[in-house]
Amino acid sequence: MKNKSADIIVIGGGVIGTSIAYELSKNSDLSVILVDTKKPGNATQASAGGLWAIGESVGLGCGVIFFKTLSKRKQEANGGGIEIERPHQLPPFFFDFCLKSNELFPNLWRELKDIGGVDFKLEKTGLKFLMYDDDDMAYAQNIYQSIPHLKDQMAWMDQQQLIADEPYANKNAIGALTFLKDDQVNPYLLMNAFRNASRVQGVEVVHGEVIDIEVVGNKVVGVKTTDTYISCDKVINAAGAWAPEIGKMVGVKIPVTPVKGQILLSEKMPKIMNSCFSTSDCYIAQKDNGEILIGSTTENKGFDTTNTFKELQGLARGATKAFPILKGMNCKRTWSGLRPGTPDEVPILGKVEGLEGYINACGHFRTGILTSAITSRMINDIIYDRPPEIDITPFLLSRFKNQLVTGYEIETV
Amino acid sequence: MKSHKEVTIIGAGPAGLSAAIQLSKYGVRSTIIDENPKIGGAIYKQPEKGLNTSLYRNEKTYKKAIALFEEFEKHKANVRLELESEVLGDFSLTGELGVLQRGKFRTISNEALIICAGCYERAQPFPGWTLPGIMSVGGIQLQVKCGSVKPGNKVALIGTGPLLLVAAKQLHMGGVEVVAVVESGKKKEIAKNALNLLANKKLLQEGIEYMRYLKKHKIPFYQGYGIVSAAGDERVEELTIAPYTDDWFPIKEKAFKIQVDCAGIGYGYIPRVQLTEMLTCEHTYEKSAGGVFPKLDKWQRTNIESIYTAGDNSGIYGADVAVLEGKLAALGYLIDIKEISEKEAEKIASPIYKEIHRLKKFQHTFEDYSGLKKGLMALPNADTIICRCENVKRNEIDKAISDGVKDLPSLKINTRVGMGDCQGKICGNFCKEYLAEKLDKLPENIQGLKPRFPMAAIPFESIIENE
């Protein structure tokens, strides 16, 4: 067993762990070790890479797809006559959390490129909610009216405008609601960019599985991996869907469950879309290299990361409906990722009562890529006992106090 | 009538056909799925109008093929043959395999499978290897076998193994000028094991005949030589060849050039294990058998119930062994469905095991001669493309390694190696060997790429239309 020591250990090499390591590395007096464990289903690598600050907050992206599927199943079970359910919106503090994080990206892009040499491909795309019928229109109007303070970040588009702007989109679509600042990045390059920059600034990356965390009295003193013992002052749990296992080692119960999402990827294509798209059936994003990514389901299958044909087909049908030109194109890969889902869909950040030196940075569910930037700053503030720029209270684990929660509960029929 | 799981044989090459025949002998029906328009697989590939029209019908391999096809014909009533059907993946939660048949996608049960998926040719990067006109030896041979187009007018065949000789003869018979056959194995390595060669006089005889053919037709044969680089404007025009050291590093001072318009490169084969990996079968590693392949018991059973494999995807030993393994896999299935007793099966299997042992022993003789050596890893220059789909150069891989990459999934994320349209089928194996070499590890300890549905690209149209 090797011995090492560090001021801070970050557990988790996904976008949250690497973003925190990067933020901490700005202080060269602090020694930081990042423990990276390979797990199939790692959400960062499976992600679409959308920075859909408003879109995600109002339930577009995966949310709206899931609720349509759910309504369909309910209709089938009850013999029709059930209205299409739509996802609920997240509370105002979550909007702020997402919007503030989104604003950080242009600077972050420059910084990370300068320091670590990785370009994570920030693209100004915007996100369009594509509408096919009155139902979609009513839903979009509902979204629009519920966030009057963000009107300057949204724009309506009628059929003509849509056809002019997106010539390959379904000609029968009646229009779109555009979220002007909901852009995209390449998710694994973002993670690489954070990691490289951290490295350059002195962070050590240790590969291995964390098997125990040592606590003396009520204070964390070290982390044991498969082959290394690292003594430390503080440990940050950024283990994504595996955060509960880490929490268990220090007696902290973390209500995070893996929420499976399936994704399809096309071969490289010439540019056929000028923005990202969300419909009631799927989301579609053409990435910087021309590949088109189609997601995603919301499933409770534990840590299973296999694909199922019916679900892939549902997504593919949604995508070919939105962009009929896709029919003649090839799908080259499919996969599944495990989102770290919490009961209220809000991440779990910050300290835990009665345990010194332990900090949560987990449960980022669908928005880990987007909110990695703000998360890392908030955690950095907590390390220095400064009040974070966004109030941490609604993110604390203690919000679940006296509640019986295990993680994100998927509604079923 | 006994009820049992319906068995699907994947691959209509020698192993698959042989398994189907053996099952049929016991009245057990099977379905064979194969991506080609005709039976035979790669080794027994048929021209459009059938083997009997082939220029090579009097060659030994073709006689074997014709005999196997004739026997298969007798059992056809018990076999449902699904040609032009490609297995694209496993959906374990629903117990299905996805199959694309002439543009139509469907799923079939994955309950009982005899997987005879064959092998791939191992891609060997070197400066200029992406030039048009440079192909795999097998690729050239397939063109010749189909009798469709001539791969070129002046062809060199470079690499190692008997296929070089076979291809040279076939090309020459087809009217192509073969300017050189370059075998990287060294004569002294064969001499060392000469006694073992006698284990199979027939095969030895075959080899000698091929050599005689080259001699008779004045086809230059270089032994202990190998490729250095290729050059040309639009396509390959010139190859640089050099003698190889014992570790197969080219001795560049002694290099020379040959003019060609086509080259076949053949440095080894890799078992096609994507499907067994997706099915989560346990795999093992043996360099001399091509690398990673499923761990099997004596009835070709994998560790997963009702999944058997036979032929080159269970270790590269060629068509003759494949036929025998196909029989064993069928016997294994017959035992498992209680069609025959294990004792009865053993009686049939006993001479099969002996024959397999003899054939493998003969092949192991060539391990030192034809086994791939370290020098191959040093062939690509810093700016040689390794991943042709994503244009990833060797120096980008080197940088990733110096940044701490230790396995293929990380290499992929860092460099896009294997993310392209072929999903790493071409460069994945080389990258694995290269990582192993640079990290001073065994290739078996380097985590590989994870196969996913679809194992070959599928049009979205085919995904959405299935009901």
Side-chain angles (χ1 to χ4, degrees), chain A residues 16-17 20 236-240 347-350 358-364 375 379:
Chain A
I16 299 297
I20 293 169
I236 297 165
N237 182 356
I348 300 171
L349 310 177
Y358 172 89
I359 296 159
N360 278 317
C362 53
H364 287 75
T375 297
I379 298 296

Side-chain angles (χ1 to χ4, degrees), chain A residues 209-220:
Chain A
E209 187 138 2
V210 172
I211 49 176
D212 202 14
I213 297 175
E214 200 185 350
V215 178
V216 174
N218 67 344
K219 191 183 173 317
V220 170

Side-chain angles (χ1 to χ4, degrees), chain B residues 236-458:
Chain B
V236 60
E237 290 163 14
E238 189 178 82
L239 302 175
T240 303
I241 306 292
Y244 273 11
T245 65
D246 287 357
D247 278 336
W248 291 14
F249 287 94
I251 304 168
K252 290 190 182 161
E253 311 78 77
K254 294 187 182 166
F256 59 92
K257 293 181 181 354
I258 50 176
Q259 312 303 312
V260 296
D261 62 3
C262 173
I265 309 292
Y267 282 102
Y269 303 88
I270 303 155
R272 198 171 165 187
V273 294
Q274 279 86 351
L275 184 58
T276 44
E277 282 185 346
M278 265 190 105
L279 288 158
T280 67
C281 298
E282 197 183 325
H283 287 68
T284 177
Y285 182 94
E286 204 180 301
K287 185 174 177 250
S288 64
V292 172
F293 53 88
K295 209 169 177 176
L296 302 172
D297 75 358
K298 65 175 196 171
W299 300 111
Q300 306 289 125
R301 295 178 185 117
T302 67
N303 67 317
I304 295 191
E305 197 192 318
S306 303
I307 298 180
Y308 314 76
T309 79
D312 279 349
N313 60 175
S314 335
I316 310 283
Y317 289 102
D320 294 345
V321 171
V323 165
L324 299 170
E325 285 182 352
K327 280 186 195 174
L328 290 179
L331 290 171
Y333 177 71
L334 292 168
I335 297 168
D336 293 343
I337 61 168
K338 305 200 161 47
E339 195 61 47
I340 58 172
S341 69
E342 180 138 9
K343 216 171 165 191
E344 191 183 340
E346 259 159 11
K347 226 180 280 166
I348 305 168
S350 150
I352 297 178
Y353 288 130
K354 264 185 212 145
E355 180 65 6
I356 289 179
H357 178 76
R358 205 168 61 86
L359 289 166
K360 286 191 175 176
K361 191 175 166 192
F362 182 76
Q363 282 202 35
H364 284 304
T365 308
F366 293 95
E367 242 172 74
D368 294 333
Y369 178 72
S370 226
L372 306 179
K373 309 210 174 25
K374 222 161 116 165
L376 294 179
M377 294 297 107
L379 283 181
N381 287 336
D383 64 349
T384 303
I385 287 171
I386 305 293
C387 169
R388 347 177 31 144
C389 304
E390 295 290 336
N391 287 325
V392 183
K393 296 181 173 140
R394 202 206 75 194
N395 51 17
E396 294 168 70
I397 294 174
D398 292 337
K399 181 173 185 305
I401 295 172
S402 68
D403 283 347
V405 161
K406 292 186 168 57
D407 52 50
L408 284 191
S410 311
L411 186 67
K412 177 173 160 180
I413 292 286
N414 275 273
T415 64
R416 289 197 61 86
V417 151
M419 263 192 202
D421 293 351
C422 92
Q423 290 287 294
K425 279 189 207 101
I426 299 173
C427 70
N429 194 77
F430 179 82
C431 289
K432 194 181 209 177
E433 296 167 4
Y434 192 74
L435 272 181
E437 165 78 14
K438 294 285 155 190
L439 299 171
D440 204 15
K441 284 185 174 180
L442 294 169
E444 58 198 285
N445 296 327
I446 302 287
Q447 192 192 339
L449 292 172
K450 194 173 178 179
R452 280 276 184 187
F453 173 82
M455 297 194 298
I458 172 175

Side-chain angles (χ1 to χ4, degrees), chain A residues 149-368:
Chain A
H149 59 295
L150 297 171
K151 273 191 176 138
D152 61 327
Q153 293 200 25
M154 294 184 279
W156 290 99
M157 204 171 247
D158 65 16
Q159 194 169 39
Q160 262 71 48
Q161 283 168 303
L162 179 66
I163 290 172
D165 243 46
E166 300 284 356
Y168 293 103
N170 188 329
K171 299 275 183 290
N172 297 318
I174 58 171
L177 175 58
T178 304
F179 302 89
L180 301 165
K181 292 185 175 172
D182 284 13
D183 299 324
Q184 69 168 338
V185 299
N186 179 316
Y188 53 83
L189 286 181
L190 177 63
M191 176 183 75
N192 274 356
F194 277 129
R195 202 186 44 211
N196 270 24
S198 308
R199 268 229 183 92
V200 168
Q201 300 190 146
V203 172
E204 184 184 350
V205 180
V206 168
H207 296 273
E209 187 138 2
V210 172
I211 49 176
D212 202 14
I213 297 175
E214 200 185 350
V215 178
V216 174
N218 67 344
K219 191 183 173 317
V220 170
V221 296
V223 167
K224 206 188 274 176
T225 75
T226 24
D227 62 358
T228 311
Y229 177 82
I230 317 167
S231 61
C232 68
D233 190 42
K234 292 188 172 69
V235 64
I236 297 165
N237 182 356
W242 296 268
E245 290 173 27
I246 301 298
K248 218 190 228 168
M249 296 172 189
V250 288
V252 174
K253 216 172 154 238
I254 297 173
V256 165
T257 44
V259 181
K260 176 173 155 181
Q262 303 195 38
I263 284 182
L264 301 94
L265 187 73
S266 82
E267 290 182 345
K268 282 180 199 166
M269 293 174 62
K271 202 167 164 72
I272 61 160
M273 44 190 82
N274 293 311
S275 62
C276 300
F277 281 83
S278 176
T279 78
S280 302
D281 313 299
C282 65
Y283 63 73
I284 314 166
Q286 185 160 26
K287 306 307 289 185
D288 60 283
N289 57 16
E291 293 165 352
I292 292 171
L293 196 147
I294 303 158
S296 168
T297 56
T298 298
E299 303 171 67
N300 174 16
K301 294 282 186 314
F303 285 93
D304 172 75
T305 57
T306 64
N307 289 103
T308 46
F309 185 70
K310 206 178 123 213
E311 278 65 31
L312 294 177
Q313 184 178 51
L315 295 171
R317 283 184 179 159
T320 50
K321 182 180 173 191
F323 283 86
I325 190 177
L326 273 173
K327 281 185 197 166
M329 307 297 168
N330 282 332
C331 168
K332 72 171 175 190
R333 192 167 175 91
T334 63
W335 65 82
S336 294
L338 302 171
R339 310 176 189 92
T342 61
D344 54 5
E345 304 180 28
V346 171
I348 300 171
L349 310 177
K351 294 181 184 172
V352 172
E353 274 168 58
L355 181 63
E356 238 181 276
Y358 172 89
I359 296 159
N360 278 317
C362 53
H364 287 75
F365 202 21
R366 306 181 181 105
T367 55

Side-chain angles (χ1 to χ4, degrees), chain A residues 14-28:
Chain A
V15 74
I16 299 297
T18 53
S19 70
I20 293 169
Y22 167 67
E23 199 61 32
L24 296 175
S25 73
K26 289 176 178 172
N27 177 355
S28 55

